[in-house]
Amino acid sequence: MESSKGFTITFIPWEDMESKERVVGRFKTEKEKDTFLNEINHSDSGWIEEELSTICVINDYNYILSQ
């Protein structure tokens, strides 16, 4: 079994007219990642459906966004 490299979660903010991907969080464990994803999917989280639809989970704690 391969050990996890951690996780980076990205999204595209609704108000960003340039549609630039942003890092919303970096997590060292799958449990931390899953807890965060569960929290943002609650109706009172402040996240809108359009932002949630752009969530991307990358299996790399040190993932760097492309420019």
Side-chain angles (χ1 to χ4, degrees):
M1 182 168 150
E2 184 179 326
S3 63
S4 173
K5 295 193 251 176
F7 302 91
T8 299
I9 298 179
T10 65
F11 81 114
I12 299 173
W14 176 248
E15 71 278 352
D16 186 349
M17 296 304 184
E18 296 177 17
S19 298
K20 289 187 177 180
E21 185 180 31
R22 305 280 187 230
V23 172
V24 68
R26 297 183 191 275
F27 306 92
K28 292 193 178 204
T29 67
E30 191 160 354
K31 182 179 179 184
E32 291 173 336
K33 171 193 62 95
D34 291 344
T35 299
F36 174 77
L37 291 173
N38 286 332
E39 288 173 2
I40 67 171
N41 279 292
H42 287 141
S43 61
D44 62 349
S45 70
W47 286 77
I48 58 175
E49 201 61 40
E50 291 83 359
E51 290 174 331
L52 291 172
S53 69
T54 67
I55 292 288
C56 183
V57 178
I58 296 112
N59 189 15
D60 185 352
Y61 185 85
N62 296 310
Y63 175 78
I64 298 173
L65 297 172
S66 61
Q67 294 191 31

